[in-house]
Amino acid sequence: MHTSSSHQATLIDGKAYAAALHQRIRQDVIDFHELYGVTPGLAVVLVGNDPASEIYVRNKALQTHHVGMRSFMHMLPETTSESELLDLIKQLNADPAIHGILVQLPLPSGIEPHRIINTILPEKDVDGLGEVNVGRLASNRPSIIPCTPLGCLLLLRDQLGDMTGQHAVVIGCSHLVGKPLSLLLLAEGCTVSIAHIHTRNIEALAKQADILVSATGCHGLVRGTWIKPGATVIDVGITRLKTPDGTSRIVGDVAFDEAVHVAGRITPVPGGVGPMTIACLLENTLTAARLQMKESSICT
Ligand code: NAD
């Protein structure tokens, strides 16, 4: 089953799912305003002028407006010192109009990201990367969950429902994606294997997966032969490839043309996990605003 070239996996349409999520969040923002008389606000901070980061930040601001939230952009020069950035974070922490704070990574050298992220109040840490939220996720307590892993989880729940007992193999174990996603899948009742750059014979491990996630940035790593027939494949990777005509296109970690004939379901790149990340950032901002309105700081 699922191995003939005529077989086509079901495409997991992250774009459509994200659009539906945006719609729901827009309504939730209206309801939130009716209840509390407050509009959720998201502050996005960018240091330096990396063109890719600038595009991400502007897109985040645009989407924030689209769902009816307030957006506050802080574009700081490359020369900003760590103490200046820390002062800004403290101001944003104290500002009641701001419910979520996101500092775009990477930061210029000379600024310690760990110190910056952990200065953001845990209840405003909409990226979920601070130690309090990471610790809460690891302890199975309610937390703000990093956006991309949350996006993967929502897609998987939508596609598979109950995942109890499924073998999930996650390739890549970063703080941003692989590690938090592994914890989320564990909490769903999956048996989770985590692979990384030093793992031996990943192919044999991957082949056992009912759910195979790849988050490495290594284009074409996951071949069709690595996939168990019928498995669900989530491709988080993003690599920008230059084409001969001078333009570029985005590809994932999975050799899609092979995988689509073996997998049961698969996320395309682009249009799979990518659109879910911003939708989940907006969802997290709403979660953060609710936490602050209930005055139940997640620190206590
Ligand atoms: P990272 O560089 O921090 O981590 C990469 C991980 O992959 C590491 O754990 C490393 O050990 C592992 N790895 C690298 N090469 C490997 C190989 N050949 N075999 C096995 N493991 C290997 O990256 P990250 O921040 O976790 O991001 C991973 C990918 O996901 C990148 O392509 C990134 O652009 C993409 N990403 C996408 C989204 C999205 O919205 N879709 C969001 C975040 C990251």
Side-chain angles (χ1 to χ4, degrees), residues 39-122:
T39 301
L42 171 66
V44 178
V45 181
L46 174 67
V47 186
N49 35 28
D50 174 55
S53 294
E54 253 177 56
I55 293 171
Y56 290 143
V57 164
R58 288 191 194 283
N59 200 13
K60 282 168 186 169
L62 198 70
Q63 301 298 330
T64 307
H65 279 300
H66 276 170
V67 295
M69 293 186 194
R70 297 181 72 193
S71 161
F72 303 84
M73 291 234 291
H74 294 266
M75 316 283 265
L76 307 180
E78 185 86 25
T79 51
T80 305
S81 68
E82 185 174 286
S83 69
E84 284 168 334
L85 184 55
L86 286 171
D87 284 347
L88 172 64
I89 303 291
K90 286 173 195 161
Q91 263 176 47
L92 299 174
N93 277 343
D95 186 339
I98 286 165
H99 303 92
I101 304 170
L102 180 142
V103 177
Q104 185 69 38
L105 300 175
L107 288 164
S109 57
I111 301 184
E112 176 53 63
H114 195 69
R115 205 170 293 144
I116 302 299
I117 286 165
N118 284 302
T119 301
I120 299 172
L121 284 175

Side-chain angles (χ1 to χ4, degrees), residues 148 171-174 176-178 195-197 202 215-218 221 236-239 253 273-274 277:
T148 302
I171 312 177
C173 61
S174 70
L176 189 66
V177 188
H196 48 76
I197 190 79
I202 299 188
T216 69
C218 195
L221 176 73
V236 184
I238 296 179
T239 304
D253 288 357
V273 175
T277 298

Side-chain angles (χ1 to χ4, degrees), residues 176-258:
L176 189 66
V177 188
K179 223 186 279 179
L181 182 57
S182 300
L183 289 170
L184 289 169
L185 292 171
L186 203 53
E188 293 291 302
C190 293
T191 300
V192 181
S193 303
I194 307 172
H196 48 76
I197 190 79
H198 302 299
T199 303
R200 296 193 197 109
N201 200 356
I202 299 188
E203 176 174 356
L205 185 64
K207 235 183 154 135
Q208 296 172 33
D210 303 305
I211 298 168
L212 179 61
V213 181
S214 188
T216 69
C218 195
H219 163 52
L221 176 73
V222 178
R223 307 294 306 262
T225 51
W226 288 32
I227 297 166
K228 176 159 107 176
T232 299
V233 177
I234 304 288
D235 190 353
V236 184
I238 296 179
T239 304
R240 191 173 283 278
L241 288 185
K242 282 244 179 297
T243 51
D245 63 5
T247 57
S248 65
R249 68 188 176 102
I250 284 173
V251 292
D253 288 357
V254 178
F256 185 86
D257 292 347
E258 298 172 8

